[in-house]
Amino acid sequence: MAVRSNIVGIDSPEALEKALRAAYYLADEGLATSAYLGLALGKPLLLEGAPGVGKTEAAKAIAAVLGRRLIRLQCYEGIDASAALYEWNYPRQMLAIRQAGDESIDIYGETFLIERPMLAALRAPDSTVLLIDEIDRADQEFEAFLLEFLSDFQISIPERGTVRAAERPVVVLTSNRTRDLHEALRRRCVYHWIGYPSEEREARIVMLRASSVAEATARAVVAAVGKLRREPLSKAPGIAEAVDWAEAATLLNKGGARWPDAFKRSIGVALKDEEDLHFISPRLDAMLAEATA
Amino acid sequence: MSTELQLPRAARIFVSFVALMRANGFAVAPEQTTAFLTAIELLGPRDLRDIRHAALATLAPPPERRATFDRLFDLHFRGNEAIEHTDDGEDDETVRLQEEGRGDEEPLLSDDANESGLTAARTEALVERRFAQLSTTDALRRLSREAPRRLPRRRGHRRMRARRGPFADLRRTLRDSVRSDGEILRLGHMKRRRRPRKFLLLIDVSGSMKSRTEENMKLAHALVQAAPNVEVFTFGTRLTRVTRPLRLKRREQALNAAAHLVSDWDGGTRIGDALQAFLAVPRFGGYARGAAVVVVSDGLERGDSDALRDAVAKLSRRAWRVSWLTPLASGPGFRPQTDALVAIERFVGDLVDGGSTASIVAHVLALGRRRAA
C-alpha cells in the first residue's frame, strides 16, 4: 500500500481540519481523520449520511484545500458510461465523413471525442477532485462499472485504446443511502458516516456561513432546527436550511419584525413541505419561544 | 502493498481484531486489513481514538451495525469492564415509537371473527381464486418460481437496441453508415428497458397477528430471495428493517437472524405511528417512492386512527400502489369494520384477503397486471 507522506503540506488530520476551516468548512474529528486517510492512502472517500448534513460541501472544501478544480458527476437512475466517461460527437462525425469525400479521415480523433467527468478526472489527476454525487441514485450496473474504474483508474475506449491516470486521482463519493451500496464499493473506499453536527458546532457553522447573523440568532435557529429534526417530518431541515433560516430571520428583523415572529414568518425557508408545516404549526409558537429563551 | 510494518508483534492485536469482526459476521477483505494497519501507522497512533477512527474508516462497518462494532472494539481494546450493555434492538435499523398510548396486547376481535358483508369493490380474477387454495409450501414455491417474471415492472431509464423505438441509436447508425461511405441507409432505434419495480413489504407482527407472523416471515424470505429490490419491515410497537437478514439464503438462518433484530413480536399495535416513523426516516421513505407497497396487517389499531389515515394517505401518494392485506377479509364478501380500515379504505388500491400464505402470494403475483393507484 503506497502511502503519500505529504499532501500539500498536510501531515495530520488536525492539519487538514484547520485547512478545511480556512475553506469555511467545519469538519469534526472523525471526518477530518477519514478524509486525511483517504488522501494519504490514495483511496476514494465515501461519505454517507442524511440529506443536508454537508457531504457535497465537504467535497468542495477538500478541492479548495488542495487548490484543485472540482469535477462533479451527479448520478441519476439510468446514468451510464456515455454520460459518465465519454461520448462521440456523432453529428460531427457524420458531417466529417461526408466532407472528406475520397480522402481518408480518422473519425475517432480527439476533435470528435466529448469528454465526460470521469475521463476529465483521469486526464488531469493532479489538478482535479472528482465528486461522484449521490451514487445511491445510480443503478447496480453503474455501480459495478464504477468499481472497475476505482480499482485501477483506467478506461478503455474501444476505438482509441486505454486511458490510464498518471497518478491516483482524488475521488469523493456521496450517498444518501436510499439503497444499500454494494459491499465491494465500501471496501474499496475510506468510509465515513456524517451525522447531524452537535448544536455547538452547528451554531458555529451558521455564523461562519452567514456573517450577518448574530450569535444569539444562530443559537436560537440551531435549537429550533434540532427540535424539528426530532419530529417525524418528511423533509427534516439540513444545515443549509438552518443557515438560510438564520439569514432570512435576520433580514426580517432588520426590516422591523420582532424576534420570535421573524423566525415564524420565515419558517418556509426551513420547512419545505406543506404537510410538515401543517403538522408543526400548532406547536410552532411554543417551540420557537423555547428556542429563543 | 509495500509498507513494511515495523512492529509485527504490535500488529497482532489489530489483525486479531479483524478476525474478531469476521467472527461476528462483518465482511472484511484482506486489502482492508492492510489499509487498517497502514492507517494506524499514519495516525501515530496517539490514543485509542485514533485506532477507532482508523477502524471505522477502513473496515467500514455498516452504519446499522455500528453499535455491535463499538461493543466489539471496546471488548477487544479496552477489555470487558468497559462494556455497557445496550439494547440490541436499538441499532440504526430500528425506530422506537414514542410510548404514549398503552401497547395493548389484546386484539379487538378474536382471530376467527370473519366479518362478512357486501363484496369489496375490487374482485380478484377467477384464476387467482383458484391459486388461493394452494397449500403454504406450494404457494411459496410458486412465489419463488414466478416472482421474477410477474412482479410489477416499470420503464427504466437505460436504453437498449430495438427494432422500433422512440430514440435514435446514433452510435450504431454511424458505424453502419461508415460501410456505405457516410450514407445512412437504416436508422438504428432504441427504447427504454423495463426494470423490476421496487417492492415494499410491511408486516404487522403484533399480538393480534400472532398466528400469521411466522408464515408471513417465511413469505417475506421467499420474496427477498426471488426478486431484486424488495425491502421488508416489521412493525408493532416499533419499526424494524429486516431486509438484510432475509437476504441470507438458508431460510432457517435468515429467520433466526431476523428474529434477533425484531424486539416487539406479539406486542401491541400502533400502525399509524409505525408508518409515520417509516415515512420520517428519509432513506426508508425513499424505499416507498414509486414502489409497489404491500401491508400485511389486520388494521386493529390501538393508536389514533387519524395518524393512521394521514400516514396511509402520504404513503399512497408516494407509492405506485398500496395494497392492504388483512386476515379479517378472508370471507367472500368483506367490508371494513374497524375504524382504522374504514379510515384508510379511500387511500389504498386494494383491501383484500391476507389470511393465508396462498392468498398473499396470489395477490402479490397479480400485482404486475395492475395499474398505479
Side-chain angles (χ1 to χ4, degrees):
Chain A
M1 176 136 327
V3 173
R4 305 177 194 179
S5 53
N6 184 340
I7 329 147
V8 290
I10 293 168
D11 55 1
S12 69
E14 290 75 20
L16 182 59
E17 194 180 334
K18 215 157 133 188
L20 286 170
R21 200 177 322 143
Y24 296 101
Y25 188 90
L26 294 185
D28 65 9
E29 190 185 34
L31 174 60
T33 308
S34 302
Y36 168 75
L37 287 175
L39 293 171
L41 298 170
K43 281 174 169 270
L45 175 65
L46 170 57
L47 302 174
E48 265 194 327
V53 291
K55 299 182 294 290
T56 306
E57 286 300 315
K60 287 179 183 168
I62 289 169
V65 164
L66 299 175
R68 298 177 174 198
R69 184 165 62 96
L70 183 78
I71 301 178
R72 180 174 181 176
L73 175 66
Q74 172 64 53
C75 296
Y76 52 88
E77 194 212 328
I79 187 173
D80 60 1
S82 66
L85 282 183
Y86 70 93
E87 179 76 306
W88 292 109
N89 189 338
Y90 303 111
R92 204 169 170 176
Q93 285 174 317
M94 300 241 179
L95 218 57
I97 294 172
R98 305 205 153 211
Q99 284 175 332
D102 294 337
E103 291 169 40
S104 82
I105 172 173
D106 175 14
I107 55 164
Y108 294 113
E110 185 66 35
T111 41
F112 302 107
L113 186 69
I114 302 170
E115 202 179 60
R116 300 282 193 222
M118 284 162 82
L119 181 59
L122 274 197
R123 287 175 156 188
D126 53 349
S127 62
T128 56
V129 169
L130 175 63
L131 165 63
I132 300 173
D133 219 2
E134 301 189 337
I135 174 67
D136 51 322
R137 287 176 179 239
D139 53 18
Q140 309 270 4
E141 292 95 326
F142 186 75
E143 213 177 318
F145 156 82
L146 196 61
L147 269 179
E148 200 181 350
F149 170 84
L150 293 176
S151 61
D152 37 21
F153 290 113
Q154 62 176 39
I155 290 174
S156 71
I157 302 176
E159 299 87 352
R160 288 176 59 107
T162 304
V163 181
R164 195 172 280 112
E167 58 175 87
R168 293 177 81 87
V170 175
V171 182
V172 180
L173 298 99
T174 73
S175 156
N176 287 336
R177 235 182 142 208
T178 54
R179 67 180 178 83
D180 286 344
L181 298 177
H182 201 286
E183 285 290 333
L185 186 67
R186 293 220 321 233
R187 274 208 296 272
R188 203 138 292 171
C189 300
V190 167
Y191 177 84
H192 185 68
W193 170 265
I194 302 191
Y196 285 117
S198 64
E199 284 205 7
E200 183 58 36
R201 182 184 300 280
E202 190 164 16
R204 293 207 337 256
I205 294 172
V206 170
M207 287 187 290
L208 190 68
R209 294 263 157 161
S211 51
S212 64
V213 172
E215 183 172 348
T217 313
R219 288 190 184 284
V221 158
V222 167
V225 161
K227 285 189 204 311
L228 289 173
R229 283 180 195 147
R230 284 192 288 275
E231 297 287 338
L233 302 174
S234 40
K235 175 81 189 71
I239 298 174
E241 277 81 13
V243 174
D244 290 350
W245 197 13
E247 270 188 314
T250 304
L251 205 66
L252 290 181
N253 174 255
K254 282 181 178 154
R258 291 176 166 282
W259 260 127
D261 201 40
F263 285 127
K264 194 175 171 178
R265 282 169 53 188
S266 51
I267 183 85
V269 178
L271 287 186
K272 297 170 181 173
D273 180 290
E274 189 272 331
E275 276 179 352
D276 288 350
L277 281 168
H278 183 75
F279 175 75
I280 287 291
S281 65
R283 283 166 301 147
L284 186 60
D285 285 332
M287 225 180 237
L288 290 176
E290 212 176 314
T292 48
Chain B
M1 306 286 164
S2 61
T3 309
E4 274 291 316
L5 286 163
Q6 294 133 353
L7 297 167
R9 189 181 285 270
R12 255 178 237 163
I13 184 170
F14 304 123
V15 177
S16 61
F17 175 61
V18 172
L20 177 70
M21 279 186 69
R22 286 196 185 117
N24 281 277
F26 287 89
V28 182
E31 60 173 317
Q32 285 174 285
T33 313
T34 320
F36 177 42
L37 294 174
T38 318
I40 290 168
E41 234 191 338
L42 270 170
L43 293 176
R46 290 150 307 179
D47 56 20
L48 209 52
R49 265 207 319 222
D50 281 343
I51 296 171
R52 189 186 295 267
H53 283 312
L56 282 171
T58 55
L59 306 178
E64 66 274 9
R65 295 200 62 199
R66 176 66 194 270
T68 314
F69 169 87
D70 283 340
R71 274 203 297 283
L72 290 174
F73 187 91
D74 291 341
L75 176 72
H76 191 78
F77 290 103
R78 295 167 59 191
N80 256 331
E81 76 286 350
I83 299 186
E84 293 168 22
H85 279 286
T86 51
D87 186 352
D88 251 305
E90 288 302 290
D91 264 350
D92 179 46
E93 299 285 88
T94 306
V95 180
R96 186 204 283 269
L97 307 177
Q98 290 168 355
E99 297 294 346
E100 295 152 359
R102 292 179 301 128
D104 234 314
E105 313 289 313
E106 283 175 61
L108 282 171
L109 295 169
S110 61
D111 276 343
D112 56 357
N114 283 326
E115 301 295 319
S116 64
L118 289 170
T119 313
R122 309 154 191 96
T123 48
E124 288 272 36
L126 281 174
V127 180
E128 295 305 330
R129 277 259 171 271
R130 212 179 52 229
F131 279 119
Q133 311 303 323
L134 290 175
S135 76
T136 299
T137 322
D138 287 345
L140 287 183
R141 227 176 261 142
R142 177 176 174 238
L143 179 72
S144 305
R145 201 175 53 237
E146 298 185 17
R149 267 186 312 118
R150 300 213 12 211
L151 285 184
R153 303 174 82 76
R154 63 182 177 81
R155 275 194 317 164
H157 291 268
R158 276 181 185 262
R159 296 170 184 186
M160 56 189 266
R161 280 163 63 163
R163 192 177 292 274
R164 276 206 295 274
F167 308 104
D169 184 351
L170 287 174
R171 189 183 189 117
R172 195 155 53 109
T173 306
L174 178 92
R175 282 178 170 264
D176 288 349
S177 77
V178 169
R179 288 186 217 126
S180 49
D181 282 346
E183 286 301 329
I184 296 177
L185 304 175
R186 205 186 55 204
L187 187 62
H189 289 278
M190 296 176 96
K191 65 176 186 193
R192 284 166 66 179
R193 206 169 62 188
R194 297 187 70 74
R195 305 183 57 85
R197 190 175 277 287
K198 281 186 287 192
F199 200 101
L200 177 63
L201 185 60
L202 299 166
I203 303 175
D204 184 341
V205 294
S206 63
S208 57
M209 291 287 288
K210 195 171 174 174
S211 60
R212 290 286 316 147
T213 294
E214 193 179 341
E215 300 283 301
N216 287 341
M217 290 306 287
K218 284 179 184 167
L219 182 136
H221 177 253
L223 194 62
V224 169
Q225 291 302 317
N229 54 27
V230 175
E231 285 286 341
V232 185
F233 288 77
T234 61
F235 63 90
T237 52
R238 289 179 182 201
L239 173 85
T240 312
R241 178 172 178 246
V242 289
T243 313
R244 212 177 256 268
L246 292 180
R247 284 194 187 131
L248 292 169
K249 250 197 160 36
R250 290 199 20 230
R251 185 163 79 182
E252 204 63 30
Q253 231 180 347
L255 294 188
N256 280 335
H260 218 68
L261 271 186
V262 179
S263 53
D264 56 346
W265 299 116
D266 311 332
T269 327
R270 302 212 337 268
I271 311 173
D273 292 341
L275 291 180
Q276 294 279 15
F278 171 83
L279 291 163
V281 178
R283 72 192 172 91
F284 291 175
Y287 294 143
R289 209 171 287 285
V293 180
V294 172
V295 185
V296 182
S297 166
D298 51 13
L300 296 176
E301 171 73 326
R302 306 315 307 263
D304 174 12
S305 69
D306 285 352
L308 175 65
R309 195 194 53 232
D310 290 349
V312 175
K314 209 184 266 189
L315 191 61
S316 72
R317 280 200 299 275
R318 201 174 286 192
W320 168 74
R321 188 184 182 96
V322 178
S323 305
W324 197 285
L325 277 55
T326 165
L328 303 180
S330 46
F334 163 71
R335 217 177 40 201
Q337 294 284 320
T338 62
D339 284 353
L341 290 184
V342 172
I344 61 163
E345 196 187 8
R346 275 194 310 137
F347 301 108
V348 296
D350 315 281
L351 183 56
V352 291
D353 176 19
S356 70
T357 301
S359 61
I360 299 174
V361 167
H363 181 78
V364 163
L365 292 178
L367 270 175
R369 295 200 300 272
R370 293 171 193 254
R371 299 197 168 174

